[in-house]
Amino acid sequence: LTITEAGRALRERRVTSAELTRSALDRISRLNPALNAFLTVLHERAAERAAQADRELAAGVERGLLQGITIAIKDLFAMRGVRCTAGSILESEMPTADAAVVERLEDAGAVIVGTLNLHELAYGVTSENPHFGAVRNPWNRNHSAGGSSGGSGAAVASGMVFAALGTDTGGSIRIPAAFCGTVGFKPTYGLVSRFGTRPLGFSLDHVGPLARTVRDAAALLEAIAGYDSRDPASVRPTANDYVPEAGCSIRGVRLGVPEDFFFDRLDGEVERAVRDSVARATSLGATVVLVRVPNMIAVNTVGQMLLLAEAAAVYEERMKDRDRFGPDVLALLDQGRLLPATDYINAQRLRRKAQIEFGSLWSGVDCLVTPTTPIAAPELGQKAVTLGEEDQEVRAAATRYTRCFNVLGLPAISIPCALTAAGLPIGLQIVGPPLGDRLVLRVAAALEDAGVTIPPCPA
Amino acid sequence: MLKDAMPAPTDWETLARARGFEVPPEQLDRVLEPLRALERRFRPLAAGLSFDLEPATAFRADPEYRD
């Protein structure tokens, strides 16, 4: 069922939110011991919220597409009275207020059934959490679910919930979406409030949805997007309706396909799948424009510098508790503490330069289409992959095509476009100009309607 | 030419010691090697910045900007 289908069933009294919630909780009980996607399951709270949704639906109170729908959130968002770990044992925070996105989801009538496992402090791409265990990929449990929102990807792909919230600082929504075969959307920087969300890199953090379809992801975005004075980066959106209409067209849309960087060094199956999807877009009337992108290696380097410094600033005071960090996160935080302030400032200056250079691209194209990751999900514990003739760390490989769009703050979606011969999902990334979120969703929905998708996960 | 203008590579190990890092010597490379690689990529980029290019972080004093 999609969110739209479930919403229709709720309104036609063919199902109740209480039933949907019981079904979700049963599925979590059955699958979570193997997948390790959830850290906290909110049995009572979810049952109460579902009962409220049923009462309101019966009384004709209309809250929109998410009313009575089961959702889960990455364990990084404050929810009053619910332990928030951020995937860490540094502290067990018991929030006294809700994050902005939790407020908005609950105002929209969503039923939050639990919080989801992640890479420690959201600082990594594998979700092999040293404190709470690794999230496993529902398509093959020996493979990574990606990260840092790995629990979100696994929970959605395995059908435990309709959709989930994640955060994305260098690809942390889009990478698990690609590896788990879900849709994952990173909106324009500032479109969704980060208030009450544990920061990692202040100038790079984005909040967004993972879902099984583009329109389901858009339904979540519609509920959570909007100006919030409590977030210093919050922007005033230019739209408030994000769900693409049925049968939406991309005729005449100019899709930029990079000639360089994004197709330089990637797995052959991934490249074929992405190029096939581009051909599908052409058959729908989109125009393909071959483009040369600015120096994306430089943009990624800037992103690394920014994140190292910003994350180290967030956790500087906690570094005396060294034995409470996993080794990979500890090493990154140590690196950030050593960087001179001048490097951070110069990285922000280079970011401005990249923004100007990249901005000129939008006069010739409406969207960019790229692979989300150069590889499908690696095995759990795998440290390196071979791309071309070069070995690369999994972390660098996984973020190669995603991190740059955090630096630029651009809206970017990953949609599943094929399975590898080994049965692992492949992600296609569509990127738009600043505040071009609606267009990105429309292009993604049109491709999905045209069959650019994968079968449901057999988990 | 550009190479001449580039500052000498940072002695990260001395810097780490000066900062009082309690990193066991056998783990130090895990911290420092990625920094050396990052510096090699970053320095040539930063060397080409014009004086008037402002950072992409902005503080706005005017409260009107927010509301």
Side-chain angles (χ1 to χ4, degrees):
Chain A
L1 276 185
T2 65
I3 288 177
T4 310
E5 289 164 348
R8 197 176 306 127
L10 283 167
R11 283 160 184 79
E12 291 170 359
R13 308 285 189 270
R14 286 184 281 119
V15 70
T16 64
S17 178
E19 287 166 341
L20 288 179
T21 302
R22 269 197 302 277
S23 165
L25 294 172
D26 287 349
R27 200 163 170 81
I28 293 167
S29 302
R30 203 150 35 84
L31 294 178
N32 199 54
L35 298 177
N36 200 26
F38 277 82
L39 291 182
T40 302
V41 181
L42 302 167
H43 295 270
E44 284 178 23
R45 183 181 169 128
E48 285 166 17
R49 296 284 309 175
Q52 185 185 339
D54 285 331
R55 279 194 302 274
E56 290 187 344
L57 283 164
V61 177
E62 188 54 59
R63 289 181 181 269
L65 289 166
L66 299 187
Q67 194 167 7
I69 299 293
T70 52
I71 303 286
I73 61 172
K74 189 176 184 177
D75 197 11
L76 196 72
F77 300 104
M79 190 162 30
R80 192 189 321 240
V82 178
R83 179 188 72 146
C84 178
T85 67
S88 159
I89 54 165
L90 272 183
E91 60 204 36
S92 198
E93 189 187 339
M94 190 61 80
T96 54
D98 290 333
V101 285
V102 171
E103 280 174 7
R104 286 181 186 241
L105 282 177
E106 294 203 326
D107 284 350
V111 177
I112 299 175
V113 299
T115 69
L116 296 159
N117 202 353
L118 64 157
H119 202 104
E120 182 183 16
L121 299 176
Y123 205 176
V125 299
T126 65
S127 300
E128 291 176 53
N129 190 301
H131 315 296
F132 302 109
V135 181
R136 291 179 179 271
N137 192 313
W139 290 86
N140 182 330
R141 292 172 187 177
N142 295 322
H143 284 250
S144 168
S148 63
S149 311
S152 306
V156 172
S158 62
M160 291 197 258
V161 283
F162 285 96
L165 280 189
T167 59
D168 191 318
T169 306
S172 286
I173 288 172
R174 290 159 289 157
I175 294 165
F179 287 179
C180 292
T182 74
V183 173
F185 184 58
K186 180 195 85 65
T188 298
Y189 182 69
L191 189 67
V192 175
S193 172
R194 302 161 306 157
F195 174 77
T197 305
R198 178 75 72 86
L200 177 66
F202 294 107
S203 75
L204 300 162
D205 290 339
H206 300 65
V207 178
L210 293 93
R212 285 194 293 277
T213 70
V214 174
R215 288 184 179 82
D216 282 2
L220 247 75
L221 180 70
E222 203 161 289
I224 62 176
Y227 179 73
D228 181 0
S229 62
R230 298 167 298 180
D231 179 349
S234 187
V235 297
R236 293 183 191 281
T238 52
N240 55 17
D241 53 331
Y242 292 96
V243 182
E245 72 276 14
C248 60
S249 166
I250 55 169
R251 184 163 295 282
V253 172
R254 299 167 303 168
L255 297 182
V257 178
E259 289 183 299
D260 49 353
F261 183 72
F262 289 97
F263 291 94
D264 281 353
R265 207 190 298 161
L266 74 168
D267 178 82
E269 282 187 288
V270 174
E271 177 167 8
R272 274 192 298 281
V274 172
R275 292 203 185 280
D276 286 351
S277 303
V278 170
R280 191 75 61 91
T282 312
S283 74
L284 297 174
T287 307
V288 169
V289 182
L290 296 178
V291 293
R292 293 196 74 78
V293 291
N295 182 352
M296 304 312 280
I297 295 173
V299 181
N300 279 339
T301 300
V302 165
Q304 275 181 278
M305 188 67 82
L306 297 177
L307 181 54
L308 285 173
E310 292 184 12
V314 173
Y315 289 103
E316 173 76 34
E317 288 303 312
R318 314 309 306 269
M319 292 304 288
K320 60 183 184 302
D321 302 320
R322 298 183 68 81
D323 57 348
R324 296 172 83 81
F325 292 96
D328 63 327
V329 168
L330 187 62
L332 290 167
L333 292 172
D334 278 336
Q335 287 160 29
R337 294 165 76 205
L338 286 172
L339 289 175
T342 45
D343 281 355
Y344 177 75
I345 298 294
N346 281 336
Q348 289 286 16
R349 295 171 76 205
L350 285 162
R351 182 189 214 176
R352 176 85 67 201
K353 186 166 171 256
Q355 187 186 26
I356 294 164
E357 287 171 359
F358 212 88
S360 62
L361 198 76
W362 302 118
S363 58
V365 301
D366 300 308
C367 286
L368 279 183
V369 180
T370 78
T372 306
T373 57
I375 48 166
E379 288 184 19
L380 283 168
Q382 189 175 338
K383 299 290 180 217
V385 292
T386 305
L387 292 172
E389 290 170 359
E390 216 173 289
D391 284 345
Q392 199 167 23
E393 279 187 7
V394 163
R395 179 191 183 83
T399 57
R400 181 173 166 83
Y401 302 148
T402 53
R403 187 190 296 281
C404 40
F405 299 118
N406 293 75
V407 175
L408 297 165
L410 301 176
I413 195 168
S414 178
I415 63 170
C417 66
L419 293 173
T420 65
L424 291 167
I426 294 170
L428 169 83
Q429 183 173 235
I430 303 162
V431 183
L435 295 173
D437 303 70
R438 290 178 82 217
L439 176 64
V440 169
L441 288 162
R442 179 156 63 90
V443 172
L447 285 174
E448 188 178 72
D449 291 347
V452 176
T453 185
I454 57 173
C457 176
Chain B
M1 184 81 156
L2 196 59
K3 196 178 166 203
D4 292 342
M6 219 72 76
T10 306
D11 183 347
W12 295 106
E13 197 167 338
T14 301
L15 194 59
R17 271 201 229 100
R19 287 284 314 263
F21 270 33
E22 300 159 3
V23 183
E26 68 275 12
Q27 290 175 21
L28 204 55
D29 259 4
R30 191 184 166 96
V31 176
L32 302 187
E33 202 40 56
L35 278 177
R36 292 186 187 111
L38 181 61
E39 185 177 35
R40 279 194 295 274
R41 295 196 303 276
F42 185 73
R43 290 276 175 255
L45 300 172
L49 287 170
S50 63
F51 287 117
D52 57 351
L53 187 67
E54 295 223 6
T57 49
F59 169 69
R60 306 290 288 257
D62 179 3
E64 296 282 312
Y65 163 69
R66 300 282 311 285
D67 302 309

